[in-house]
Amino acid sequence: MKCFSCGQVLDGSDRCPSCGQNVRIYKKLIASANHLYNEGLSSASERCMYDAEEKLIKSLRINKHNIDARNLLGLVYYESGEYAKAIEEWSISRALKNEDNDAIRYLSDIEGDFSEMEMIKNVIKKYNQALSYATGGSDDLAVLQLKKVLELSPSHIKANQLLALLYAKAEDYEKARQYLKTAQRLDGHNPITRSLMKKVEAERKEKMKRRGRSRKEAVSYKNGNETIIQPRLRISGIPGIMVNVIMGAVIGALAVYFLVVPDIRSRLNSEAAQTVAEANKQATAKEASVSALEEQVAELESQVENYENASADTEAQEAGYQALISLYETYLSDTSSDYYTTKTAFKNIDLTCMSSSALKSYNALADVLYEDIASDYEEATEAYGDEDYETAIELLEDITGKDSIYASGRALYYLGLCYKANGDTASAKKCFEGIIEVYPSSKIGKKAKKQINALS
């Protein structure tokens, strides 16, 4: 510990041996800050992120130059999905101490990894957009944005909490409970998650009670695809039986005349109108996507012309662009509803020769063709978190079969971890090698190398 006035190393006395300043209270403050840091470190190691954040912030209020506390706070934010706050804390730490500082390494790893940087930018942008939608009353749009956030960053605690809140607002308590369970796994002692879970459980039980009461107080019968519910009529004895028989006959005749025949006509008309609307919708979507893809093809063709006289590395990139152009042309000419020809061409592309911009366009087209991947990926990561590796493997095999680098290689990485947990070392190693081929120097590639070393 150094004197706050002259910088001299302090001894056991209450005064600085160099300038004579009274440092008794200063020593107590520093000791308090260090104690809070140690408590924050203990909470973080137990994945109590909220408690760790509170204690580390208090520590920094006492001693803003506590580099270890600031770096740990950045790690807590990063693990919780709050990347902007993490980068802010590490940047302050680097400014306070520009040598022998872990924050310098953290920032260098992020800045040097293009895919990680893009992921962070997208998470921040989409989460802020979701907040804007939610506060503006556009809950459906907010839910869509939050699901995209969790696709990129499944450990984003606040995104899970906000998504649960929106589902609870819509009285879909089962889905709200599902996302709150995910938030609890990420931070078991978070008071916001606990409070929301308590309210959701109470509303869920009340909804189940109301449903039970309504079933007891009413009777129902089927009319085609519709369920008709009416209050119970209690008349005892023979008169009651006769009344029920007469009423049943009358209701049956009226139902056939007024409900069944019009319902059949209405259903046929509705199905026809829905078929026409769906065809128009698909045609409009196809025209829009074709227009956008034609612009991308023109841009890619222009780039290919600029790379004709480049070096061997540039020739490899050109081959990647040519493959991507060929893929777009296949998509434009593919008239099948499930794009079978285009999906087959997807699997035959060599991704190792593509540049980052080409991979970005490749992923954009993948999003158009595989709209159902996002929900499958979310379910797979939850299954992995619950140690349900069989379910996770089944989902992830399907996802990587459609798009081998989905979520910037994270889907393939999770698949490798699932194989590893199941004892299938050969399949796990194959997954990690596939990541290294496409992302050899990125963060996900480095993680895959560590996994291979651990398997060897």
Side-chain angles (χ1 to χ4, degrees):
M1 188 183 302
K2 295 181 180 181
C3 176
F4 64 87
S5 179
C6 65
Q8 177 67 30
V9 177
L10 300 176
D11 53 19
S13 65
D14 291 340
R15 291 192 175 275
C16 175
S18 176
C19 65
Q21 280 280 1
N22 189 335
V23 294
R24 183 172 63 86
I25 297 176
Y26 173 69
K27 283 184 175 181
K28 288 184 177 180
L29 289 172
I30 297 300
S32 177
N34 290 338
H35 177 69
L36 286 167
Y37 163 71
N38 290 330
E39 287 188 343
L41 179 61
S42 177
S43 296
S45 64
E46 295 173 1
R47 290 205 66 83
C48 300
M49 299 303 186
Y50 186 90
D51 292 342
E53 178 186 345
E54 291 289 307
K55 290 166 184 174
L56 292 170
I57 289 174
K58 289 179 181 179
S59 175
L60 290 172
R61 284 175 182 168
I62 298 172
N63 179 19
K64 68 179 181 180
H65 293 281
N66 191 337
I67 300 300
D68 290 336
R70 195 173 294 279
N71 289 347
L72 179 57
L73 181 58
L75 287 173
V76 168
Y77 282 140
Y78 198 87
E79 283 295 311
S80 302
E82 298 188 62
Y83 303 114
K85 289 184 177 181
I87 292 172
E88 180 183 1
E89 293 298 333
W90 290 334
S91 298
I92 294 172
S93 175
R94 182 172 60 181
L96 292 174
K97 184 181 179 183
N98 56 12
E99 291 182 0
D100 192 24
N101 187 349
D102 288 336
I104 299 173
R105 176 168 54 84
Y106 299 150
L107 292 171
S108 297
D109 287 345
I110 293 173
E111 292 166 357
D113 189 339
F114 175 78
S115 63
E116 188 78 4
M117 200 67 182
E118 283 296 307
M119 183 273 290
I120 290 173
K121 288 179 181 178
N122 285 329
V123 167
I124 294 171
K125 178 182 177 182
K126 292 181 185 299
Y127 181 73
N128 289 336
Q129 186 66 62
L131 281 177
S132 177
Y133 285 142
T135 54
S138 301
D139 292 353
D140 291 342
L141 294 175
V143 167
L144 291 175
Q145 288 295 328
L146 289 169
K147 286 185 176 181
K148 291 179 181 178
V149 169
L150 292 178
E151 177 189 333
L152 296 170
S153 177
S155 63
H156 201 300
I157 295 173
K158 289 188 176 179
N160 278 289
Q161 290 172 339
L162 181 55
L163 197 51
L165 183 62
L166 291 172
Y167 275 124
K169 182 180 176 182
E171 298 187 1
D172 191 345
Y173 300 116
E174 289 299 330
K175 285 188 178 179
R177 189 164 170 262
Q178 176 185 348
Y179 284 104
L180 287 174
K181 281 187 175 181
T182 301
Q184 282 183 330
R185 286 199 300 270
L186 296 170
D187 184 3
H189 294 80
N190 191 300
I192 297 174
T193 303
R194 285 182 171 182
S195 176
L196 286 173
M197 181 63 85
K198 185 177 180 180
K199 292 178 181 178
V200 166
E201 288 291 355
E203 291 293 337
R204 179 169 164 268
K205 289 178 181 178
E206 182 61 27
K207 186 177 181 180
M208 292 174 70
K209 287 181 181 178
R210 290 197 302 267
R211 187 182 300 169
R213 286 198 297 268
S214 65
R215 286 178 178 174
K216 289 179 181 178
E217 296 170 358
V219 293
S220 62
Y221 60 89
K222 286 283 185 178
N223 178 28
N225 292 328
E226 297 181 355
T227 300
I228 309 300
I229 300 174
Q230 63 183 26
R232 291 183 182 272
L233 178 62
R234 295 186 177 90
I235 301 177
S236 59
I238 295 175
I241 296 173
M242 294 178 65
V243 168
N244 286 333
V245 170
I246 295 170
M247 288 184 64
V250 172
I251 290 171
L254 291 174
V256 170
Y257 185 77
F258 289 106
L259 297 177
V260 176
V261 174
D263 181 63
I264 292 173
R265 290 175 181 171
S266 175
R267 186 162 59 249
L268 290 174
N269 292 335
S270 176
E271 289 175 356
Q274 186 177 358
T275 302
V276 173
E278 186 65 26
N280 290 335
K281 183 179 177 182
Q282 290 181 0
T284 303
K286 185 74 181 269
E287 289 174 1
S289 60
V290 166
S291 178
L293 293 172
E294 283 176 346
E295 292 179 2
Q296 292 186 13
V297 169
E299 181 181 352
L300 292 172
E301 287 176 342
S302 175
Q303 293 180 9
V304 169
E305 291 177 2
N306 295 332
Y307 292 143
E308 286 181 351
N309 299 321
S311 62
D313 290 339
T314 307
E315 290 177 0
Q317 290 185 8
E318 181 183 339
Y321 280 116
Q322 290 284 11
L324 189 56
I325 289 171
S326 176
L327 181 62
Y328 279 134
E329 291 174 346
T330 302
Y331 171 72
L332 294 177
S333 62
D334 194 350
T335 57
S336 60
S337 59
D338 58 351
Y339 302 105
Y340 177 80
T341 306
T342 310
K343 291 177 180 177
T344 303
F346 247 82
K347 297 177 182 179
N348 296 329
I349 285 187
D350 181 9
L351 300 178
T352 59
C353 67
M354 285 191 178
S355 66
S356 58
S357 61
L359 283 173
K360 186 175 180 181
S361 297
Y362 174 91
N363 287 329
L365 183 56
D367 289 341
V368 174
L369 294 175
Y370 303 112
E371 294 177 349
D372 57 334
I373 286 185
S375 59
D376 287 350
Y377 179 71
E378 180 182 342
E379 185 179 347
T381 54
E382 288 178 2
Y384 173 75
D386 293 337
E387 298 183 1
D388 184 3
Y389 301 119
E390 295 296 334
T391 300
I393 287 172
E394 182 179 352
L395 291 168
L396 291 169
E397 282 180 343
D398 183 58
I399 291 169
T400 54
K402 295 174 180 176
D403 181 5
S404 60
I405 61 165
Y406 183 74
S408 300
R410 288 181 177 80
L412 194 58
Y413 184 79
Y414 273 116
L415 181 57
L417 293 178
C418 290
Y419 280 136
K420 179 182 176 182
N422 263 7
D424 190 350
T425 305
S427 297
K429 192 173 181 181
K430 186 177 180 181
C431 291
F432 297 135
E433 288 172 348
I435 295 170
I436 295 170
E437 287 181 7
V438 183
Y439 301 107
S441 59
S442 67
K443 188 173 181 179
I444 193 73
K446 293 176 182 177
K447 288 182 178 180
K449 289 177 182 178
K450 290 181 180 179
Q451 291 293 339
I452 289 177
N453 293 333
L455 291 172
S456 304

